Amino acid sequence: MTPPAIDPEHFRRLGHALVDLVTDHFAGIRERPVFRPMQPAERATLMQEALGEAGARPEVIIERFRTAVLPHAMGNGHPRFFGWVNSPPAPIGVLADFLAAAMNPSCAGGDHAAIYVERAAVRWLMELIGFPTEGSMGLLVSGGSVATLTGLAAARHWAAAQDGWSVRNEGLQHGRRPFVLYTSEQGHSCIEKTAELLGLGTDAIHAVPVDEQFRMRVPDLRSAIAAHRAAGKRPFCVAASAGTVGTGAIDPLAELADLCGAERLWLHVDGAYGAVAAVGAGLERADSVALDPHKWLSVPVECGAVLVRDGELLRQAFSLVPAYLRTEPDRGFGGLPWFSEYGVQQTRGFRALKLWMTLQHLGRSGVQDLVARHMALAEHLARLVDASPDLERLAPVGLSVVCFRYAPAQLRGDDERLNALNKRVMETVQASGAAFLTQTTLRGRFTLRACVLHYATTAADVAALVDVVRQTGARLSAER
């Protein structure tokens, strides 16, 4: 058959071969290095490979994947991967991606099953974190960056309307009072990118100092708001964190909600990493929340979500459909308002199926158990660090993140040399394939950062991480 068509029986054989390949990959993952750096020739071959004039047989293409791509995975599928906030793929989510691709719907809207699956999956997310479902709206996006962009675009729309003007009609070029957006010193870089994309500029961002637990200091925020009002500026939004990338800190959300209510500010919470673990911390009082099921829930990427308390306001911020033509529940084709009226995408993929299937496989108690197990492993890692004479913990344990460094007695107090040494420790551990961790910077100190996020990670894996860091540090110190 002429490509892209494939004969049904041929497709069946290919599918079975792929299932075997993926199953063997999962089954043997502990026997392989966590990470295998690519050689220059391997990189060049992939990047510079020419597209053939004639089409290749599917078996040849799959074999090329097996030999050139699969061996050089990012590493996050391995239980000893502790880098960034990257989870392994839930196996049922892998199967769901296959099924979603087979259906290949456009999820802008309409009256087909994918739309109602997304509605259900998003509602489950709201219920899991205690976010109100009545009158609110949520949709799936690529990740936390687009979720934050969507939530803060709604905040900008709301603030302008509160002041009696339309940001959609006027833009930001008519001499209005300059908006001010507040986030902590530990806030994610997507806040800065959002400020740029929304036309606010990075000068609109005020970074609020953090306390000894790396949480936003509410008194400093209150003082900054007063100072900006006195200077003729327009404070409009606080972008708090429920699980910072650096340390896993959760800002004091209840206090921030009180302050935002008193000051008439929008409260956005970046819960991309930690929302599912921050239940009861005040998420239910936020105006918008960003969260990433492709992080702690292990839904295969891409799967982010944005939740907005006032669903109609979100629609007003994005819809290009005249009010008299808008689909309303149980009226006209589609049954429900289209997702494309609530965000930046028109064509949208069937992200919801892998979330819908993964959540059903876990169940509510499964989500809670997964989070609790990872947090317990992080506490265990912290105890191992504290018990090691040549390791130094640099932050309280936040969710499932532990921040520490290799600090032999002879270098204690010499941050410059410790920064250089720990950078080499991290790079050497990563290249070794024995474990994988990344870094952050805390108060000027290069910090090894381990995030427990793999559903199969054990106490033995955590202990192995500590051992390889100590052994690597000792060897590099001796070489110096």
Side-chain angles (χ1 to χ4, degrees), residues 275-294:
V276 293
V279 179
L283 282 172
E284 71 282 357
R285 299 178 62 188
D287 294 293
S288 57
V289 175
L291 69 156
D292 280 351
H294 65 217

Side-chain angles (χ1 to χ4, degrees), residues 126-187:
M126 292 178 178
E127 293 169 351
L128 280 172
I129 68 169
F131 195 78
T133 58
E134 186 66 31
S136 60
M137 182 61 185
L139 68 159
L140 301 182
V141 294
S142 59
S145 294
V146 175
T148 295
L149 176 66
T150 306
L152 295 188
R156 184 188 62 171
H157 179 90
W158 169 82
Q162 290 287 303
D163 292 352
W165 59 283
S166 170
V167 70
R168 296 194 67 177
N169 294 337
E170 297 183 33
L172 299 177
Q173 305 185 75
H174 290 269
R176 302 285 181 180
R177 288 186 297 158
F179 282 131
V180 185
L181 168 64
Y182 302 90
T183 191
S184 87
E185 294 173 339
Q186 292 289 309

Side-chain angles (χ1 to χ4, degrees), residues 319-331:
S319 179
L320 294 173
V321 181
Y324 69 93
L325 290 178
R326 289 178 184 169
T327 302
E328 301 299 335
D330 302 319
R331 293 176 57 189

